[in-house]
Every structure is written in C-alpha cells, then in structure tokens.
Amino acid sequence: MKVILQLLLTALFITSCSKNDPDPTTTYVDDDLAGPISRPKSGYGADGEYTVAKVSFPSPLYSGKNVTIFYPKEISTARPTIFYSHPYGGEESSYNIGLYEFIAKKGYVVVFAPYPTTGVTVDERYSTLWESFKKAVTDYPNIIDTSKVGFMGHSFGGGASFALAHRGFIDEGWGKNGRFIFAMAQWYAHQITAEDLQSFPSNTKLITQVYDDDVTNDHRLAIDIFNNINIPNSEKDFILIKKSVLPTYTYTAEHTLPNTQTSYDAYDYYGIYRLLDALIDYSFNGNATGKNVALGNGSAAQTSMPSYNGQALAPLEVTDNPTPAYAQSKYQFQCSSINNPRLGNCK
C-alpha cells in the first residue's frame, strides 16, 4: 500500500497546490477564464450574488492544518451544505478555490477538510475527513443545515465520498430533506460494502463523472460503484467529459479537472459547476428544471456545451449503462489491482 500511495503522490503532486491558503482578510477575485469561452452569464452555472465568507478551525486529527467552511456572508439561518473530499495533494483550499467560492456565491455552504497524503493509512484519511465534517456540524449549527446535504469528492475523495455519505445519511440522518453524491474521477472506494451500497436512502441522487484524458484512475472504479449502488437510473447519471480542440485553445479532460490552478476554464463552469448547481436545486428544492440539467439522462439541456465562433465544445456523454472505453493498461491505478478492496467487481 505504501508503494501505491507514493506512486499516486508522485503522479498528482505535479498539479497539486503547494501554496498556503489566501489571507483570510483578502477577498478572492475571479480572473478571466483561460481560453476564449467565458463563464455562463445566467442560469445554472452562473456565479451567484452572495458574498463569500469563511471560517476555519483546527483539524481534529491533522495537526497544523485547518478545516475551512465557505458560506454566504448574508445568511441569517443555516444553509444546505456540501462536504467536500479533496484529491491527494489538494489539501490546500487554494487548489480548487473556484469551486468552493462558486458554491458559497450560490447561497450554500461547503466544508473543506484537509487530510495528509503520506505517513497515514487510508482508514486514517477517512477518519480525518469524517471527524472534520462532524466537528463542523457540531460547532457551526448556525451555518450548516444537515437536513439538506451533499457529499462531493475528487479522486481519492471521490472514492471516499460514498462511505462518508453512507455514514452521514444512515448513521447521522443527514439529508432527510435532500441528499446527493457528486463523485469525480474516483479512486478506490474503501469502507463501503455491497450491503452498504444497497442501503442508501431513497431520496439520494448521484452524478458520477469521469474524464476521457485521465490516465490515473481506471474508469472501471467509477463504473463499479455506479452500477452497484441502489439509486435508480432516474436519479443518477454517469457522465464522460471529452476534450475539445479549438484553433487557439484546447479544453482538456484530464484527471485534475476541475481545479482553479492549472487549467481554470469553461470546462470547470459548464462541465462541473453547471451540473452541480442544477443537482443542488433538484435535490434540495425539487426543481424539475434542475433535474433536466443535472440528471437529464442525456437531455440537450444536460449534454450541450457552449460554442466559440460556430464551433461547439464536445457534448457531455451521458449513460445509465457505462462501459469502459479503454484497456486497464492505460491507467496507473487499475481496477484489477490487488489494492482495490472491490477487486471482484471489475468488468
């Protein structure tokens, strides 16, 4: 396991954050996106009108690190909350600050919890995430509304989101008025049994995303969980993002999508933020328009991407019956590895 984790660290630290969090007294300002296409001006995926505030507290299990809660400054009551689990190497919130700021601007809360990449076990990482989320809930009831809850994660955090969501939904009863999971480019899913996957509450929604240029995590890892979770097809979608090549800019669909540091562009907004925005609206508010965008089962509203000079970006590919497009040899972390706790579910 130590060898595997070191390999992952080497692969992902190249694009990970090495900077400290921004000074809490400064306001994060969006620069223009890379590439010729700007962020949406209205509708799902457009920036909200709230002012972003944040509060931090020491991590209960990761010495020297802080857990950060991003929230809308103008709120007077607790708001629906997303618990975010970052990828290896993304333990500074600046790595994906655009996502956290986007959520808070839309009027919701996101809890960002760092965990160490080296020197600890997978179980210890899961514990660090969980205890951080629990402490946030306990200490900030005026900010966090646990009746409407989402779990979101990328890579290691994408795999972890299922076990963490199961704890939150089943053990704690979070999300009684709205629940979802948004998993991106997921790694191995630990601490989740076949029985657990069949016991998610009936109001749970799911978006699973994979990226065509990813050479790190085998898409079979995401396919396995998607196919074996008890969420009906009407409430979940498996989404593939492919790169788009324009004359002056290439929108890539690599493992690190989304992040604010290496390639912050229209793919972040249209491929991820837009769907998340709609999923939140559907999961927490029951908005049918939100469902058509987030879980549209391949609807035009869901799959269509913007155009530039008459050239449309590659549409999202959506299915309820995902199959792998590439051999496992393409990926660094393969489904058939002995390190996969769900090794018997590779197809």
Side-chain angles (χ1 to χ4, degrees):
M1 175 58 76
K2 288 183 178 179
V3 173
I4 288 294
L5 295 179
Q6 187 59 48
L7 286 171
L8 186 56
L9 172 63
T10 301
L12 298 187
F13 256 25
I14 295 174
T15 54
S16 295
C17 168
S18 60
K19 301 177 183 179
N20 292 326
D21 280 349
D23 188 313
T25 63
T26 62
T27 301
Y28 176 78
V29 178
D30 284 329
D31 295 322
D32 289 339
L33 301 183
I37 300 175
S38 185
R39 56 183 54 79
K41 300 299 183 184
S42 61
Y44 294 123
D47 285 331
E49 300 299 323
Y50 289 91
T51 305
V52 179
K54 66 179 184 178
V55 62
S56 298
F57 60 88
S59 170
L61 294 179
Y62 190 6
S63 178
K65 294 292 184 177
N66 287 335
V67 178
T68 303
I69 303 173
F70 296 86
Y71 64 97
K73 182 179 180 180
E74 294 82 1
I75 63 171
S76 57
T77 58
R79 295 292 296 157
T81 299
I82 296 167
F83 297 96
Y84 187 82
S85 301
H86 66 79
Y88 281 120
E91 63 182 70
E92 302 295 342
S93 65
S94 53
Y95 175 70
N96 210 358
I97 188 71
L99 174 63
Y100 316 137
E101 296 272 355
F102 176 82
I103 293 169
K105 288 176 185 176
K106 299 297 288 195
Y108 303 101
V109 177
V110 58
V111 181
F112 171 82
Y115 60 82
T117 304
T118 59
V120 295
T121 65
V122 169
D123 287 345
E124 288 172 322
R125 292 186 187 91
Y126 276 46
S127 293
T128 300
L129 287 164
W130 178 249
E131 293 302 326
S132 298
F133 295 157
K134 279 277 289 181
K135 185 170 177 59
V137 168
T138 300
D139 292 356
Y140 296 92
N142 58 320
I143 295 176
I144 295 172
D145 174 9
T146 57
S147 72
K148 296 180 178 180
V149 165
F151 282 84
M152 187 175 189
H154 184 278
S155 194
F156 179 93
S161 290
F162 293 94
L164 295 169
H166 193 269
R167 284 196 200 183
F169 298 160
I170 301 298
D171 298 346
E172 303 295 329
W174 299 349
K176 63 181 180 179
N177 295 327
R179 299 178 169 103
F180 71 81
I181 303 168
F182 196 125
M184 301 172 287
Q186 73 177 69
W187 194 60
Y188 303 128
H190 290 257
Q191 297 186 4
I192 192 83
T193 67
E195 292 74 21
D196 291 338
L197 287 172
Q198 288 300 306
S199 63
F200 277 88
S202 60
N203 66 339
T204 309
K205 325 298 184 190
L206 170 65
I207 286 180
T208 295
Q209 278 195 348
V210 295
Y211 309 124
D212 200 50
D213 298 327
D214 190 352
V215 295
T216 302
N217 290 341
D218 189 346
H219 290 180
R220 291 165 182 81
L221 303 176
I223 291 171
D224 164 33
I225 298 296
F226 184 87
N227 285 341
N228 286 289
I229 200 166
N230 68 322
I231 300 171
N233 287 343
S234 62
E235 304 301 307
K236 66 179 181 181
D237 271 336
F238 190 96
I239 300 172
L240 172 69
I241 300 181
K242 290 187 172 181
K243 72 179 177 183
S244 296
V245 181
L246 300 183
T248 60
Y249 187 82
T250 297
Y251 291 92
T252 60
E254 298 176 341
H255 179 73
T256 51
L257 181 71
N259 77 79
T260 310
Q261 291 192 314
T262 61
S263 184
Y264 191 43
D265 57 32
Y267 265 23
D268 293 73
Y269 268 84
Y270 286 92
I272 292 89
Y273 298 3
R274 178 176 63 96
L275 299 181
L276 173 63
D277 194 5
L279 183 63
I280 289 172
D281 196 20
Y282 173 52
S283 300
F284 297 163
N285 304 319
N287 191 320
T289 301
K291 180 177 184 179
N292 192 42
V293 173
L295 299 173
N297 199 32
S299 68
Q302 181 185 34
T303 62
S304 296
M305 297 285 275
S307 301
Y308 177 72
N309 283 350
Q311 182 176 352
L313 302 184
L316 306 182
E317 296 188 7
V318 180
T319 183
D320 291 329
N321 298 290
T323 57
Y326 303 104
Q328 292 193 48
S329 58
K330 175 183 178 180
Y331 304 100
Q332 183 177 7
F333 295 94
Q334 300 170 8
C335 191
S336 61
S337 168
I338 60 172
N339 295 288
N340 181 8
R342 293 182 52 81
L343 177 59
N345 293 278
C346 297
K347 295 181 180 179

